[in-house]
Amino acid sequence: MRNTAKFTTAVLAAGALTLGLTACGSDKDSASDTSGPLVVAASPTPHAEILDYVKDHLAKDAGLDLEVKEFTDYVTPNTATEDGSVGANYFQTQPYLDEFNKKNGTHIVSVVDVHLEPLGLYSHKVKKADDLKSGATVAVPNDTVNEGRALQLLAANGIITLKDGAGTAATPSDITENPKKLEFKELEAAQTPRSLDDVDAAVVNGNYAIEADLKPAQDALVLESAKGNPNSNLLAVKEGHEDDPRVKKLAKLLNSPEVKKFIEDTYAGAVLPSF
């Protein structure tokens, strides 16, 4: 049985970025007590599943007491890491982390890359991207990095053209050519798979695709390439906690042959090891 606590976006509805508050409802700073369990905030799929594999099969022999807390949004894991409610998090990419720190004044740093979740374009209405009709509506994640990543995916597949220099911060205003006159609906990343019945297509993050029973290798109209991709998901901590012996143990386990095999066997190409 999984010993996992689940949290939702609603916890943070009115004050997500008030870092002085304890995001997990605990007065104990779990990051500062290196004698206790390492509490890691994670997205449910695949992050918490990978951590649960480590907890159930590898942690004991490594002398690591690991506790996994699930969050369904992309904000709380960082605010909880910043305020010490958790000791680490595992849910995000380096570009997203950089943008989050810049916007929110947080001090979260990467420890080790673990896996890549290819971003994909999905549809319940067409079988090929070329079949999208003029004026079709495409849902994209509304956070800066994932929206830019989504638009780069569409551009890489010739669906749109972005202006020179548009990178991970690209927005629809950076589109220079849009032959199909696509309209973009910006949604919270977790909502994109749920929008598939209401829009013509949606760009969905790999973890949310898996939760929605989408199979990226089979179902995506177009899929991000793993080669040279900077968007690996990583283990992160608050700056200054990189040398926590518990964090070092977890980092080593997350880059172990056993975890690599677990990822390859479990996700069949929907999640790819980054080590």
Side-chain angles (χ1 to χ4, degrees):
M1 181 181 293
R2 290 171 57 174
N3 183 20
T4 304
K6 294 187 178 182
F7 293 76
T8 66
T9 307
V11 175
L12 235 68
L17 301 180
T18 307
L19 301 180
L21 297 177
T22 304
C24 296
S26 170
D27 293 329
K28 184 178 180 179
D29 185 337
S30 68
S32 63
D33 180 12
T34 59
S35 64
L38 177 64
V39 183
V40 184
S43 297
T45 306
H47 310 77
E49 294 172 350
I50 294 170
L51 289 170
D52 282 338
Y53 171 79
V54 171
K55 177 182 174 70
D56 294 341
H57 298 278
L58 305 175
K60 184 176 180 180
D61 287 345
L64 175 64
D65 187 358
L66 180 63
E67 181 179 338
V68 184
K69 289 190 175 181
E70 292 185 11
F71 293 82
T72 59
D73 70 292
Y74 284 172
V75 174
T76 323
N78 274 338
T79 59
T81 303
E82 178 75 11
D83 70 22
S85 301
V86 301
N89 68 55
Y90 173 34
F91 78 101
Q92 66 192 320
T93 67
Q94 189 67 54
Y96 179 85
L97 174 57
D98 292 342
E99 183 70 17
F100 191 96
N101 280 334
K102 180 179 177 180
K103 282 189 172 182
N104 300 296
T106 45
H107 309 84
I108 314 299
V109 296
S110 169
V111 177
V112 68
D113 288 343
V114 183
H115 75 267
L116 173 72
E117 300 162 18
L119 204 70
L121 177 69
Y122 300 86
S123 177
H124 286 171
K125 299 178 181 177
V126 299
K127 298 296 184 182
K128 298 184 299 182
D130 287 345
D131 293 338
L132 287 169
K133 296 180 180 179
S134 180
T137 300
V138 178
V140 294
N142 65 0
D143 63 273
T144 302
V145 170
N146 281 304
E147 181 173 53
R149 188 177 167 192
L151 295 175
Q152 293 286 356
L153 171 66
L154 299 181
N157 287 275
I159 299 169
I160 59 172
T161 301
L162 295 172
K163 70 181 181 183
D164 291 343
T168 57
T171 69
S173 65
D174 294 311
I175 297 173
T176 57
E177 294 181 28
N178 185 2
K180 290 183 177 289
K181 299 180 174 58
L182 300 177
E183 296 185 7
F184 294 94
K185 186 173 185 178
E186 297 168 309
L187 299 173
E188 183 184 352
Q191 300 297 323
T192 54
R194 301 170 198 169
S195 74
L196 282 169
D197 289 331
D198 302 316
V199 299
D200 297 290
V203 180
V204 182
N205 290 71
N207 60 315
Y208 292 131
I210 296 167
E211 288 177 17
D213 293 325
L214 295 168
K215 297 177 175 60
Q218 300 173 25
D219 298 334
L221 307 184
V222 297
L223 191 65
E224 229 176 6
S225 172
K227 186 176 181 180
N229 198 308
N231 293 294
S232 290
N233 284 237
L234 51 87
L235 178 69
V237 297
K238 186 174 182 179
E239 187 175 7
H241 294 270
E242 303 94 315
D243 292 329
D244 183 327
R246 302 169 304 168
V247 171
K248 287 187 170 183
K249 288 178 182 177
L250 179 58
K252 184 176 181 179
L253 293 177
L254 285 172
N255 275 189
S256 66
E258 293 88 348
V259 167
K260 182 177 183 179
K261 186 175 187 304
F262 173 77
I263 292 173
E264 292 173 341
D265 291 348
T266 303
Y267 301 108
V271 178
L272 305 171
S274 295
F275 55 93

